[in-house]
Amino acid sequence: MNLLSIGGSDPSSGAGIQSDVKTFASLNTHGLTVITTITSQNTSKFGMIQPVSKKILKNQMDLIFSDFVIDGIKIGMVYNSEIIKIIYNALKKLSIPIVVDPVIKSTTGGIMIQKSAINDFKKYLIPIATVITPNRFEAEYISKIKVNSKNSLQKAAKIIQEMGAKNVVITGLELKKNYIFDFIMTEKNQELIKNKKLKISNHGSGCNYSASMIFSLANGKSILESAKFAHEFSFDSIRDAEKVGKGLAITQKKFDSIYLELSRAINKFIKIKNISKRIPECQTNFVFSKKSPKSIKDVLGISGRIVKTGTNVTQAGNLEYGGSKHVATAVLTLNKKFPHIRSAINLKFQKETITKLEKNNLTVKNYERIREPKMIKNKEGSSIEWGIDSVLKDSKEAPDAIFHKGDFGKEPMIMIFGTNPNSIIEKISKIFL
Ligand code: PXL
């Protein structure tokens, strides 16, 4: 997936395009950037601003759009009217999700948009927003409504929606002591999401919010799902913020090693030549478990799947604990007898694959779903447990692969197991060379 951030450069990498590239990378996507403005700033002080020329702004857009398929765009700092109009002209005909983050003032006091550009910001950029994500101050500035009650909050959001933004999310509201709320106004509904307030003065959480929001929207999630995802992502990024410089802590969500290992392996898997031929009808999941897992909630998997799109293969959905049921259950079952086995992937059943696995001295076992007792068949999710248990009864070593040839209405399947995702990639690379 390719996501584009159009915005300003922040040399502290706390906010702006640098922060967005980090967010996109942490979510296992490729981040593209079009720089509108160069700022100089650190974690305590805001310095200069220099917008880029019309010519190079246009040229960045032309070259990026002529090369990449872009799945979603976030617009951050735009600074002046000229920049706003160029962005508008480049994006007006697109039909992908666009998140507009109105960047007006930095935490350290920098003025990020010229006063004379506010009207054009409203005229050109707000109407192309799938979602606009102002904080309270920005919502007040745009709507000219003081937000100090539920009523005024709704009023401000409505005014911004009437300017043309399809959906409005006002972030960082302190409606109750020790809590922080986001207010979501979609085309049909209104909702408040809340979380405990973290008392960490930080630089970057607004950018984390809008960048994770575009990731979720580009994955086909609804506005409300995406707002919840962004809310949690930015909460985590503040929780994990680090005082890298002398001033404000810089936000960045830190992922655990299980997450990082699995997402790297998924990236490698997707790039294996002709791998689309190995994806079954029910698509592929790839999982990695914590040590000594107790339930599927301890197993990280893709909440969607690895899917075929023509001859390409992409990850649809996020990595989540509990994100996979079937493949995670397979790992849990195997892990009970062989605790070092913590990772698995499911592939299309092909005789050729079985032969290749065996030729490479990998242990292949199978079970027959036709023999499955009716009682098990009727219980959702218990088939895999039954099948793997029946294979393991007389296994002294953990098998590298287990397959079954399906049953009436059940697709045949191969599962490959390993100690970690990388060991699975090694096995797969060997056989699909
Ligand atoms: O968080 C807003 C923001 C966006 N873009 C740039 C920034 C800031 C805040 O400082 O510097 C470049």
Side-chain angles (χ1 to χ4, degrees):
M1 170 169 288
N2 299 318
L3 297 172
L4 169 63
S5 168
I6 302 176
S9 158
D10 167 4
S12 79
S13 298
I17 54 137
Q18 287 88 346
S19 159
D20 291 346
V21 168
K22 289 192 295 179
T23 297
F24 295 155
S26 77
L27 293 167
N28 213 10
T29 59
H30 185 72
L32 304 161
T33 60
V34 164
I35 302 187
T36 59
T37 319
I38 297 173
T39 74
S40 45
Q41 56 179 307
N42 58 29
T43 53
S44 22
K45 199 165 121 186
F46 199 91
M48 289 169 56
I49 285 181
Q50 177 155 356
V52 303
S53 72
K54 203 169 160 170
K55 219 166 143 189
I56 194 149
L57 180 64
K58 270 195 181 148
N59 201 225
Q60 290 181 78
M61 299 268 200
D62 288 347
L63 294 186
I64 290 298
F65 280 107
S66 64
D67 190 5
F68 299 92
V69 174
I70 297 171
D71 302 289
I73 301 175
K74 169 197 152 165
I75 304 173
M77 180 180 184
V78 289
Y79 195 61
N80 65 30
S81 274
E82 189 174 85
I83 292 172
I84 289 170
K85 287 177 194 160
I86 292 168
I87 296 173
Y88 169 75
N89 279 316
L91 309 192
K92 66 182 174 195
K93 292 210 180 92
L94 299 181
S95 53
I96 52 174
I98 298 176
V99 171
V100 174
D101 186 2
V103 177
I104 293 169
K105 218 162 78 177
S106 89
T107 346
T108 46
I111 300 300
M112 317 290 277
I113 184 164
Q114 286 182 333
K115 248 197 170 138
S116 58
I118 295 292
N119 277 340
D120 281 339
F121 181 82
K122 291 180 184 172
K123 183 170 163 193
Y124 294 106
L125 295 189
I126 294 186
I128 60 168
T130 311
V131 183
I132 186 167
T133 60
N135 59 27
R136 196 191 83 177
F137 163 78
E138 290 155 353
E140 286 179 342
Y141 192 87
I142 296 167
S143 68
K144 298 201 171 100
I145 294 279
K146 179 98 190 127
V147 174
N148 52 14
S149 63
K150 192 145 185 225
N151 201 7
S152 57
L153 176 62
Q154 285 171 320
K155 219 164 154 183
K158 194 85 212 142
I159 289 174
I160 299 172
Q161 201 172 44
E162 277 162 5
M163 288 174 186
K166 287 187 192 65
N167 304 281
V168 181
V169 182
I170 304 181
T171 62
L173 298 156
E174 301 190 35
L175 302 177
K176 196 172 141 194
K177 205 171 174 238
N178 297 327
Y179 283 89
I180 206 95
F181 292 77
D182 293 339
F183 176 66
I184 301 139
M185 184 179 273
T186 67
E187 283 163 301
K188 292 185 200 116
N189 301 308
Q190 297 180 12
E191 186 128 0
L192 273 169
I193 313 178
K194 78 168 178 198
N195 219 326
K196 288 237 162 69
K197 183 178 158 77
L198 294 168
K199 291 183 179 115
I200 302 169
S201 304
N202 69 77
H203 177 51
S205 54
C207 290
N208 299 140
Y209 188 95
S210 45
S212 55
M213 163 79 88
I214 192 59
F215 166 79
S216 182
L217 291 173
N219 269 300
K221 298 281 156 76
S222 70
I223 302 297
L224 190 59
E225 283 171 319
S226 300
K228 285 182 178 161
F229 178 77
H231 183 89
E232 260 176 48
F233 188 92
S234 40
F235 178 89
D236 293 349
S237 77
I238 299 172
R239 179 199 62 201
D240 300 345
E242 265 181 57
K243 209 167 144 73
V244 194
K246 297 192 184 74
L248 295 167
I250 284 181
T251 60
Q252 186 180 357
K253 179 167 173 160
K254 299 272 192 285
F255 289 94
D256 61 22
S257 59
I258 292 178
Y259 183 100
L260 292 174
E261 268 190 62
L262 182 58
S263 53
R264 278 192 203 116
I266 291 172
N267 268 351
K268 283 189 196 162
F269 175 78
I270 283 169
K271 288 188 188 124
I272 295 174
K273 210 172 158 207
N274 291 326
I275 200 65
S276 64
K277 292 186 188 155
R278 316 299 175 188
I279 307 290
E281 292 307 316
C282 70
Q283 316 281 12
T284 285
N285 214 322
F286 196 168
V287 306
F288 190 20
S289 155
K290 290 181 183 169
K291 280 184 186 156
S292 317
K294 290 189 180 55
S295 74
I296 60 169
K297 286 194 186 129
D298 292 325
V299 185
L300 188 68
I302 307 168
S303 65
R305 290 280 198 282
I306 295 172
V307 299
K308 259 189 297 193
T309 49
T311 53
N312 275 338
V313 169
T314 53
Q315 177 186 334
N318 313 321
L319 289 184
E320 279 171 23
Y321 284 96
S324 152
K325 276 206 182 79
H326 290 98
V327 187
T329 303
V331 164
L332 279 176
T333 314
L334 212 68
N335 180 276
K336 275 189 205 140
K337 185 159 178 184
F338 301 107
H340 64 289
I341 299 297
R342 288 166 50 201
S343 190
I345 194 169
N346 67 310
L347 300 175
K348 189 184 180 101
F349 173 82
Q350 284 163 320
K351 274 216 176 102
E352 177 200 349
T353 307
I354 307 291
T355 317
K356 282 184 177 165
L357 284 162
E358 285 168 341
K359 267 199 182 144
N360 276 285
N361 292 326
L362 295 168
T363 321
V364 184
K365 301 269 179 175
N366 75 302
Y367 62 90
E368 289 180 40
R369 284 193 70 156
I370 311 165
R371 289 175 192 264
E372 187 182 336
K374 235 200 176 126
M375 229 174 69
I376 307 268
K377 269 187 202 178
N378 294 339
K379 200 172 149 215
E380 168 72 19
S382 56
S383 293
I384 289 188
E385 213 177 324
W386 168 84
I388 292 183
D389 268 337
S390 65
V391 161
L392 295 187
K393 258 188 220 144
D394 44 25
S395 298
K396 295 220 165 53
E397 286 170 35
D400 296 294
I402 300 178
F403 71 90
H404 68 77
K405 288 189 177 168
D407 191 2
F408 187 73
K410 301 286 175 195
E411 191 183 8
M413 196 67 62
I414 305 176
M415 276 204 210
I416 315 261
F417 297 91
T419 49
N420 55 42
N422 223 19
S423 70
I424 290 181
I425 294 295
E426 277 169 18
K427 289 172 193 175
I428 293 178
S429 308
K430 252 195 227 168
I431 60 172
F432 295 138
L433 261 185

